[in-house]
Amino acid sequence: MKPRSSQYVTTREEPVAAPPFRRLRGYAFDPSLSQQVDTALVNEVVFKVPWEESAERLRTTDSETETFEGGEADEGLSKGPVGEYLEVIDYDPASRCFYAPINLDSPLVLAQDGLAPTEGNPQFHQQMVYAVAMTTIRNFERALGRYAFWAPHIARSDEPNGRSGVRSDFVRRLRIYPHALREANAYYSPTKKALLFGYFVAPPSTGADGHFPGGTVFTCLSHDVIAHETTHALLDGLHRRYTEPTNPDSLAFHEAIADIVALFQHFSFPEVLRHQISRTRGDLASENELGKLARQFGRGVGLHGALRDAIGEVDPVTKQWRPRQPDPEDYQRKEEPHERGAILVAAIFDAFLAIYRARVADLYRIATSGTGVLPQGAIHPDLVNRLAEEAARSAQHVLNMCVRALDYTPPVDITFGDYLRAIITADSDLVPDDDLGYRVAFIEAFRRRGIYPRDVRTLSIDSLRWPVVRSTTYARKDMKFAEELREYMSELKNLGTSRRAYYGASRDLAAKLQRWIHSRDSAWGVYLEEATSQALRFQGSLPGLEAKDGVAVFEIHSVRPAQRVGPDGDTLNHAVVSITQKRRNAVSESVHFRGGATLIFNLDTGRLQYAIVKGIADDARLRRQQEFVTGIRDGSLRATYFGGMRDAQEPFAMLHRAAEQAV
Amino acid sequence: MSAAIGASVRMYRQGLGDCFLVTFRQGMKQAQILIDCGVVLGAPKGQERTAEVVERLAEDCGGWLDVVVVTHEHWDHVSGFKTAREIFEEKIDIGEIWMAWTEDPEDRLAAAIRRERGERVKKLGAALRQWQAVAHEAVRPDDRDDWRSALARAATESLLDFFGPGDLSAKGDKTREALSFLKDHAAPKKYLSPGDEGSLPRVGGVRVYVLGPPRDREAIKKDLPSKRDPETYEEGMRLSASASFLAAAAATSGSEDGEDERYKPFDAFFRVSPEEAQTDHFFVSRYGFNAGSRTDAPDSAPIWRRIEEDWLALTSELALMLDSDTNNTSLVLAFELGEGGDVLLFAADAQVGNWMSWDSAEFDRDGIDAADLLSRTVFYKVGHHASHNATLREKGLERMKSRRLSAFIPVHQTTANKIGWSKMPFGPLLERLQEKCRHRIVRLDRGVDDEASQAFTRSIEEHDLFFEIKLGAK
């Protein structure tokens, strides 16, 4: 990634470089923690958001700089906020009004780190969603080592020859509507490429520590809800097909990743972290705010505690918090996406705790002269600081591992087991020496919850790693092919500096690969069939698999380079290409069966390193999917009346409303 | 010892809906009971078929019904009392009318539930009307989204149709009208609560046990078993949360509604009206306003990202809740043919909350409880047209142990599918019913199960207007 501030020129009149960050105040969790004496002080934090230069400044001082390719002149950050990645537009259709956009570059706002947190001013709400969403995007970009993209807008295009085709249009900004709904809900709309947040009136509270009865709960003021929904959008940008329910894990996976990102971002607020470490005396497995999600929302919809909790739950009878024991049965039994996703979240959080414990074991020994037993009372502030540091580092590592692994997952039909393999492989590639036992911690945590990958003989790191593609018959035999491959990879190394240019270059490369595979005289098709163990099919026929000019139809979903630096200074130079195919209506009358492969090229060695596949000809998988789709999974009243119309709702809207009902 | 008791159940074929004539015989005496009479809105020729059915009913019962039972306030159970009212008035005399305690005008809880329901029906009707108006103008990202929106609205409308045909803002009135025929009828009324038991006029050997609806607000509100703490489902939440939505959704556009004002999240100071926004460069270039046009204006933001109608989709959610709440007010009756004898179970459209409550019904007679009655059930009128959550598994169907169990399902699959209810009947439930009943099943639309035994098939009387089964002594 290019440094973002490189485009700004310092002048003699103003010999000051742009700051790296824009400081914006906000809630670490949500407004409810500001109403409690012990958390009020730490709940207000300053988000350090990557600096986006003001649009106005760019126009006046930087007349030399080019306008964007495509003639889009709106560069930099303008009111809304509208920046490179996001556009916040505050329309409240239920109240039939708009709210004026905040100007983050106003001197008054700049001088005080943004507006002070408040529920009563919509402009603070706009600032909050911008700050949290940008933080989330930043975390993704850092882990993936490239720009984040939103899913393209699929539009019908009328071509000159009178035929209508389908076009994938670049979507530069994710749109955010902070007050779009008047209900206890918030969701990402994959078709609008927008986040819609709701607000609702909370009922009279049941507990003494509850919220203001009849007060309004704004989902757009909850860090967790914003991070969760932004992650849905980011994941959709990476893997468009993950919104399709193909197995019990698929939708749960979306939810789990969204929760994981929200959870681990809690650890990036130093004051909060120190406060919670001090309160729990460093034991993060005991009840604490860091492991909870959407507290105010949870209470607002009538739960006794947070909406979700990665480590514990409130006992329905005693109303007391208790840690949750991992139960392998859960993975067999729970099917509702949020509940099932919670199993994956708990596993990842468990791995995090193991890593944290390993990292602080020595600190505890030092602090206790080797006994490991802390004396009664508060722990020393220095120890708090050191523990907090380790917790923050562990959390950042785990979050990076979880996000990086998303490049190592199959393009369709993901399962939790696939994800474990992706985490292990991605981490092994980047960090060859696992001296702190991170990978074992993950495997152990998954095993304790009964999450096993299919087709793996043992749960060792070696067998969990995706197999390295061995057969290179064509690469060896066919010099022309090897040349093409090298040429292709050299183009992959540099895709341009702006997000739009990068997107365009990536589409061009996809088109090039498309042509190569399609042409009969190239070796690509044959080679890829072989390398993916026939998971992709270009020749021959399968029921429902359409062909064009004798070659089976396929789609290059994305071509994306991944450059990463490991802790030992090793750099990885990879490119990820995902190819999918579909067998029309093979699952049921209206459901396609999809297969495909995620191909990971090593740009240094010039080889295809991994082919992570879901076979298009895999009949066993097809049968499983048929059973899943036609199965007894959903007999709710909703399914009775709306069941025939999977398309009748926003996919995530229903998930989120369902969560509310499932409590 | 009195003479053996026999019974026959006649399921009329007016379409997707319930209409059953149950005749009990003991020696020379007999009692005739009508349970519901309705067809879903949208069923082909529903009204005409119902008229034919009621004509036939008048003949079948010889112009006399000992009891008319109305299970709950849904169009597909009561429409006949309105659309074929004249036939009822002219040709059929009624001995007694039985309804659930929830219809009792003297009962305060019932009155509160009814009032609240009436209010909700009206507001949801208005919300749906606004949704339709807004959706009509909206332009969506693609055709599939057009579909999506249209389907969701259609499904919501069909849910509200349970409260009868007519203008959306007048929903509920027609169903109440249908009920009023019975409520204003001269025949004496009984309002039944769980734990009530009694006998039928003239055929003293038949005992009637009332299992539902529960006298418990919470149970009525429950359509699915709660996955965690049942107490966490605070009804207050649903109401107050939806109140702020309905205040806005049910308000007619343009008018400043006082109630809605209370729910607006920010002071008037912050609000920019749509008219002002249309002259503001930021909103014009970023959000865009070109209502009525389906193509993007060159200098305006793309239409497909606008959110005019999204917030109104909650209407369908609230309509679902309302529907399940109403289903849970179903009157559930078990008829026992002589002491310790066979049981006929009519579960109306009871959903989980109702089924779960049966165990707490206490009867005077020793040894009688829900488990016992279910274990002796030989005939089951399948709940809610065989949708999933209207037949409880462990504490319901699995408790029916009789080897002679048979079931009638008042379902019409093509109609259900046409309206968009693809899971009616619900496949897995149907399969389990077939196992439990060993295919002794009759469906309103398809007749006797294909795999039923010859003997069973022969025992069912089939007619263009009904199916009939004979039970107990000949």
Side-chain angles (χ1 to χ4, degrees), chain A residues 74 78-80 82 87-101 119-123 125 153-156 171 173-175 177 179-184 187 189 191-194 196 199-204 206 216 218 300-304 306-308 316-317 319 336 339 629 631-651 654 657-658 660-663, chain B residues 74 130 140-145 147-149 151-156 158-159 162 223-234 236-238 240-241 244-245 247-249 251-256 260 263-267 270-274 277 280 282-283 286-287 289 301-302 304-314 316-317 320-321 323-324 327 351 384 387-389 419-424 426 428:
Chain A
D74 82 269
S78 54
K79 61 184 182 175
V82 176
E87 51 188 26
V88 180
I89 295 170
D90 210 347
Y91 177 35
D92 178 354
S95 306
R96 293 193 197 86
C97 66
F98 291 78
Y99 305 110
E119 291 168 277
N121 179 353
Q123 292 204 337
H125 298 206
H153 171 53
I154 309 296
R156 237 196 357 227
V171 174
R173 302 182 178 108
L174 178 70
R175 184 168 288 191
Y177 293 107
H179 306 101
L181 314 164
R182 211 181 254 192
E183 60 175 297
Y187 60 86
S189 162
T191 51
K192 291 190 161 76
K193 323 293 170 200
L196 284 77
Y199 60 90
F200 62 103
V201 175
T206 46
T216 303
F218 294 96
V301 298
L303 293 173
H304 293 298
L307 181 63
R308 289 191 281 280
V317 181
K319 313 277 187 272
E336 192 280 317
E339 285 201 330
V629 169
I632 47 174
R633 308 290 158 158
D634 191 4
S636 64
L637 195 62
R638 156 164 298 287
T640 306
Y641 292 120
F642 293 75
M645 354 171 151
R646 197 173 74 74
D647 289 340
Q649 305 97 20
E650 284 282 352
M654 283 313 129
R657 290 201 188 109
E660 186 192 325
Q661 299 220 328
V663 294
Chain B
H74 261 167
Q130 188 181 347
R140 304 181 189 84
D142 55 32
D143 297 351
R144 249 206 9 222
D145 261 52
W147 255 108
R148 175 178 15 229
S149 168
L151 286 173
R153 279 177 284 126
T156 307
S158 75
L159 279 173
F162 280 129
D223 69 327
L224 280 175
S226 158
K227 298 214 172 100
R228 281 190 226 157
D229 173 12
E231 282 177 70
T232 56
Y233 215 149
E234 304 284 350
M237 183 281 283
R238 248 164 39 178
S240 67
S244 63
F245 167 78
T252 46
S253 79
S255 77
E256 268 309 312
D260 186 29
Y263 292 117
K264 289 192 171 160
F266 300 107
D267 290 345
F270 291 108
R271 295 182 215 145
V272 178
S273 73
D280 181 312
F282 175 81
F283 294 114
R286 301 289 182 194
Y287 187 77
F289 304 89
W304 58 267
R305 302 188 83 171
R306 292 180 200 164
I307 51 161
E308 299 297 334
E309 65 172 314
D310 301 69
W311 69 286
L312 287 160
L314 183 63
S316 62
E317 205 63 26
L320 270 174
M321 288 182 186
D323 179 58
S324 85
N327 282 338
Q351 295 188 349
H384 198 225
S387 79
H388 156 84
N389 57 345
I419 303 173
W421 308 332
S422 66
K423 301 216 171 176
M424 189 183 272
F426 186 55

Side-chain angles (χ1 to χ4, degrees), chain B residues 143-405:
Chain B
D143 297 351
R144 249 206 9 222
D145 261 52
D146 275 339
W147 255 108
R148 175 178 15 229
S149 168
L151 286 173
R153 279 177 284 126
T156 307
E157 185 161 12
S158 75
L159 279 173
L160 291 178
D161 280 346
F162 280 129
F163 297 95
D167 185 88
L168 279 172
S169 57
K171 281 286 177 210
D173 296 354
K174 290 284 163 39
T175 309
R176 299 302 306 174
E177 263 176 55
L179 270 180
S180 71
F181 163 63
L182 296 168
K183 291 200 152 178
D184 302 340
H185 199 280
K189 276 131 216 126
K190 277 189 188 157
Y191 298 100
L192 305 174
S193 294
D196 287 353
E197 54 180 287
S199 51
L200 289 179
R202 289 189 289 152
V203 182
V206 176
R207 301 287 297 173
V208 186
Y209 299 92
V210 182
L211 290 165
R215 287 200 64 92
D216 168 2
R217 242 183 139 96
E218 292 309 306
I220 289 175
K221 305 285 178 182
K222 199 160 176 187
D223 69 327
L224 280 175
S226 158
K227 298 214 172 100
R228 281 190 226 157
D229 173 12
E231 282 177 70
T232 56
Y233 215 149
E234 304 284 350
E235 179 49 29
M237 183 281 283
R238 248 164 39 178
L239 289 184
S240 67
S242 60
S244 63
F245 167 78
L246 286 173
T252 46
S253 79
S255 77
E256 268 309 312
D257 191 294
E259 191 188 1
D260 186 29
E261 190 61 31
R262 202 156 57 90
Y263 292 117
K264 289 192 171 160
F266 300 107
D267 290 345
F269 171 77
F270 291 108
R271 295 182 215 145
V272 178
S273 73
E275 294 71 35
E276 289 171 82
Q278 289 189 37
T279 60
D280 181 312
H281 176 71
F282 175 81
F283 294 114
V284 171
S285 63
R286 301 289 182 194
Y287 187 77
F289 304 89
N290 40 337
S293 162
R294 295 185 73 85
T295 47
D296 290 331
D299 52 352
S300 170
I303 304 177
W304 58 267
R305 302 188 83 171
R306 292 180 200 164
I307 51 161
E308 299 297 334
E309 65 172 314
D310 301 69
W311 69 286
L312 287 160
L314 183 63
T315 311
S316 62
E317 205 63 26
L318 297 177
L320 270 174
M321 288 182 186
L322 175 66
D323 179 58
S324 85
D325 292 355
T326 310
N327 282 338
N328 270 337
T329 60
S330 284
L331 177 61
V332 179
L333 299 177
F335 298 89
E336 182 193 41
L337 306 183
E339 212 176 317
D342 292 345
V343 170
L344 282 61
L345 178 68
F346 288 83
D349 282 0
Q351 295 188 349
V352 174
N354 192 319
W355 283 78
M356 303 263 276
S357 73
W358 296 354
D359 278 332
S360 49
E362 287 174 16
F363 298 101
D364 291 341
R365 194 171 296 189
D366 278 349
I368 302 275
D369 58 19
D372 169 54
L373 290 169
L374 284 171
S375 73
R376 287 189 276 134
T377 296
V378 296
F379 173 86
Y380 169 44
K381 194 296 285 187
V382 179
H384 198 225
H385 326 291
S387 79
H388 156 84
N389 57 345
T391 298
L392 203 61
R393 210 157 238 259
E394 295 308 319
K395 296 207 152 184
L397 188 56
E398 299 306 320
R399 279 173 164 184
M400 300 183 203
K401 301 233 166 77
S402 170
R403 290 185 51 77
R404 287 176 290 131
L405 181 65

Side-chain angles (χ1 to χ4, degrees), chain B residues 14-19 36-40 50 75-81:
Chain B
Q14 71 286 7
L16 182 57
D18 277 26
C19 182
D36 288 341
C37 182
V39 67
V40 74
T50 306
W75 191 244
D76 56 332
H77 291 253
V78 300
S79 71
F81 299 116

Side-chain angles (χ1 to χ4, degrees), chain B residues 60-77:
Chain B
D60 289 347
C61 70
W64 170 255
L65 290 169
D66 292 272
V67 180
V68 171
V69 178
V70 182
T71 59
H72 66 295
E73 184 194 335
H74 261 167
W75 191 244
D76 56 332
H77 291 253

